[in-house]
Amino acid sequence: MSIPYLPHRFSPAELDAMRARYRAERERRIRPDGAGQYRRAAGEFGYYATDPYTERTERAPVHDRVEAVVIGGGFGGLVTGARLRQAGVQELRMIDEAGDFGGTWYWNRYPGLHCDVEATVYMPLLEEVGYVPKWRYAPGEEIRRHAVAIAEHFSLYDDALFHTRVTELRWDDDAAEWTVRTDRGDEFRSRYVVISSGTLTQPKLPGIPGIEDYRGHTFHTSRWDYGYTGGDQEGGLHKLADKKVGVVGTGATAIQIVPHLARDAEHLYVFQRTPSSVDVRDNRPTDPAWAASLRPGWQQERMENFLTIVTGGHADEDLIDDGWTATARLQRKLLTGSLDTNLSDEEREYLDEVADFRKMDQIRARVDQIVEDPAVAELLKPWYRYMCKRPTFSDHYLQAFNRPDVTLVDTADTGGITRMTETGVVVGETEYEVDCVIFATGFEVGISGVLSGTLPVHGRGGLPLLGHWRNGPRTLHGFYSHGFPNLFHLGSIQNAASVNFVHVLQEQATHIGAVVAEANKRGALRVEPTPEAEEAWAATIRETAPDNFKFQSECTPGYYNGEGKPRPVSFSYGPGPVAFHELLRGWRTEGGMDEVLVTA
Ligand code: NDP
């Protein structure tokens, strides 16, 4: 999109001024305690660990044997379950801590919940299940129901264990199978184990002094308390009509809940530390004529088209044409993808920076167009580069600040909320009395229970996986490690990601399904890479991983950059997901299986 009032090229002085402003805004928000500023949702706040949607029922421990276990019932686990079924796996056990399938869409049910990646490319296995999304950007409930539909379609409820946490995996080399132990006393055997336990699963709370003293009502957005607010995911929070409500946080979640709270609460206080970039949403119902015109293979085509464009590749046509496909160059700053190889590093950096400034100027101009009070508009403008924070999209969020019953409280200069009292929230010297505080404060970032240590894995000879990975993950293609046979990881270890993460997970699941099918066909004893294959992949990652350290170091703090302290090395495959998926396909057809299938 062209921005008429900006010069096409920035002068050096303009670039310097912008950089200085970004630095100053970053300095205002950096906290010496970094990621240590948060606290776990435990102890007094331990009710976050309970499931408000499904009653936990007692059951006898399981002591049996299955062919494959998938840990995690979100989309990663579901697509793997589907591919394993297609690979002929009969005895398949899905396990999740939640009371049903859906992962993030099970836990998050807040009003306004939508996915901001287009439903036709985000919701997996649409053609297999025979479903066309009703909206361009699907509401959470539609997505959750689709997760359940996948589980039903592929018979994934058979043998599933819900409200169950795997506490240990131990390899038995003689039997060539895993012993799986859980917090429900289960102890069973499985030939294969797939770990797909998600990345943003544990709600986190700000470590605000006095948070325990507050006597009003509180909850985290991922455990929405409709008993207190009334209404449902579509809004209508009628019980808030006589309540003063505070929301802490202005990330992608808050952007979606604020319009509902603004409409329904007596008064809403939005406690903001860093404003999000909020772009146009433009949601609309799916055109039935378009849906009827779809031909087999349509979803894969759209997914590939989207992935190619957002990772900097060329496609003749942009089938999705939205806020993500328009910002591919900017996403490359955080994620992997193709580079303009005809440019020098300096030229590329200059073009990236200019494109970034133009985009963010457009985002800031949109705030001025929508928000009537210039002082409030000023506070809502983000001053950082586009991918420093998760970009957001809404046609209702900024508008909420034009209401007389909504107050924006900026907390940038105090590093967030100063403290909480029995009756309210204090910022600087000012106390805001509220009946309820809703924490839209996000999630702990962990690649999986394996890396956080909550799921101990012992391979051949009792070797702990975290010991094997003490200098960073060691895998072939991110899937498996030497000494840990028949164990697959799904997620973002030593591979390539995209904003449409479910697509990436689906390619991983397809690969795992193909490897298991081939292992069974050949009667392989184990699936296990050699140390040499593992080392060669580690070298590929080292050589190609993008160097985002400078970009991340200059970003405003957030969970993308360890709250201002980014890791110096990245563990992703530099050429990006399109190239990675091609590499996997080539590996499968060109004898790669011989590398990991141990038959004698
Ligand atoms: P985030 O971690 O993105 O945001 C947390 C918010 O809480 C930030 O605004 C943060 O401010 C604020 N905060 C934390 N501590 C304090 C404090 N002490 N005082 C004041 N403010 C504070 O969490 P979200 O739940 O919004 O989003 C998490 C992720 O979930 C997203 O990044 C995205 O990946 C995913 N998501 C995806 C959606 C989709 O449509 N696909 C929709 C919603 C979420 P600060 O920025 O200054 O740290």
Side-chain angles (χ1 to χ4, degrees), residues 29 31 37-38 105 110 113-117 200 204 206 208 221 248-254 256 271-274 389-390 411 415-417 440-443 557-560 563:
R29 293 176 173 86
R31 288 176 50 136
Q37 67 182 278
Y38 290 99
W105 305 102
Y110 56 76
L113 176 66
H114 279 72
C115 180
D116 62 13
V117 174
L200 297 170
K204 73 179 195 253
I208 302 171
T221 49
V248 184
T250 49
T253 298
Q256 298 186 332
F271 296 96
Q272 167 187 279
R273 186 165 61 190
T274 313
K389 291 265 180 198
R390 179 80 158 56
T411 71
I417 288 166
T441 45
F443 303 86
Y559 79 85
Y560 277 6
E563 302 297 334

Side-chain angles (χ1 to χ4, degrees), residues 434-453:
V434 282
D435 299 297
C436 169
V437 174
I438 300 171
F439 294 109
T441 45
F443 303 86
E444 290 180 28
V445 185
I447 291 186
S448 73
V450 170
L451 282 188
S452 66

Side-chain angles (χ1 to χ4, degrees), residues 68-70 76-77 79-89 92 192-196 476-480 486-491 495 504-520 527 580 584 587-588 593 596-597:
V69 166
V70 177
V79 289
T80 307
R83 294 296 183 236
L84 289 175
R85 282 282 191 239
Q86 289 169 331
V89 174
L92 172 61
Y192 299 105
V193 175
V194 182
I195 302 177
S196 174
L476 173 61
H477 301 151
F479 292 112
Y480 17 52
N486 296 6
L487 175 69
F488 301 86
H489 303 274
L490 231 83
N495 49 34
V504 168
L505 293 174
Q506 190 171 312
E507 292 287 340
Q508 294 176 13
T510 299
H511 190 74
I512 293 170
V515 172
V516 167
E518 189 63 20
N520 289 350
V527 177
F580 181 63
L584 292 182
W587 182 92
R588 292 200 294 267
M593 298 279 184
V596 296
L597 300 186

Side-chain angles (χ1 to χ4, degrees), residues 33 75 115 127 212 218 229 269 366 525 530 595 600:
D33 51 357
F75 277 133
C115 180
E127 288 190 66
E212 295 91 351
T218 69
T229 65
Y269 294 93
R366 183 166 185 258
L525 297 174
T530 61
E595 242 184 322

